[in-house]
Amino acid sequence: MKKILTLLLSALVFASCSPMTPQARIEAYPEKYAALSERDKSLVRQGQITRGMPRDGVLIAWGTPGKRYEGSKNGKAIERWDYVGSQPVYTSNFYGGYGFGGYGPYGRYSALGYGVGPEIAYVPYHLASVWFANNGVDSWERAQ
């Protein structure tokens, strides 16, 4: 039983870490994909978007945005979807010192230790933005 639980938990963790591809999103949203034009379907399969594409096409091609903004431009309602990525930043840190504690076999202990250790932090960055007007893509930008 323990092995089965460990195997299922490992599979769940692995599945949650895998990135969604356009094909996986097509399978997740078959009704939205079916409603797209043939031109948009072709672009979505390649992970691309184009001017005039509906929101559902962008959702399937690029995935769920990190942030959504609503606004107005020239008297028309607009919406912006921002996509973010993350990149690892590697650093080294120095730690150590001398300390006393209040537990242990004699009620007190002391520790002396120093070291240098690696540290990884994931820093978000702007990946892309899509602007929608008149129920379709008006423009977009993508980091290179």
Side-chain angles (χ1 to χ4, degrees), residues 39-40 43 48-54 58 136-140:
R39 179 191 73 151
D40 289 345
L43 290 169
Q48 297 177 1
I49 66 173
T50 190
R51 187 175 169 93
M53 182 181 279
V58 176
V137 173
D138 183 56
S139 60
W140 73 95

Side-chain angles (χ1 to χ4, degrees), residues 14-126:
F14 178 74
S16 68
C17 294
S18 62
M20 289 276 289
T21 63
Q23 184 59 42
R25 288 188 292 269
I26 289 169
E27 293 169 7
Y29 304 110
E31 68 288 344
K32 292 180 180 185
Y33 179 74
L36 297 174
S37 69
E38 289 304 317
R39 179 191 73 151
D40 289 345
K41 286 179 183 177
S42 176
L43 290 169
V44 163
R45 283 193 300 272
Q46 299 170 47
Q48 297 177 1
I49 66 173
T50 190
R51 187 175 169 93
M53 182 181 279
R55 287 172 180 81
D56 287 343
V58 176
L59 175 70
I60 298 170
W62 284 9
T64 305
K67 292 264 188 177
R68 294 180 185 194
Y69 300 92
E70 293 180 350
S72 177
K73 183 176 181 181
N74 298 328
K76 295 183 180 181
I78 61 168
E79 186 175 351
R80 185 179 89 207
W81 290 6
D82 281 351
Y83 291 86
V84 295
S86 62
Q87 64 186 109
V89 176
Y90 302 95
T91 61
S92 294
N93 61 3
F94 176 77
Y95 61 90
Y98 186 74
F100 290 99
Y103 57 90
Y106 303 106
R108 293 184 64 85
Y109 75 95
S110 64
L112 177 62
Y114 295 94
V116 176
E119 192 171 294
I120 302 172
Y122 289 88
V123 178
Y125 67 96
H126 182 258

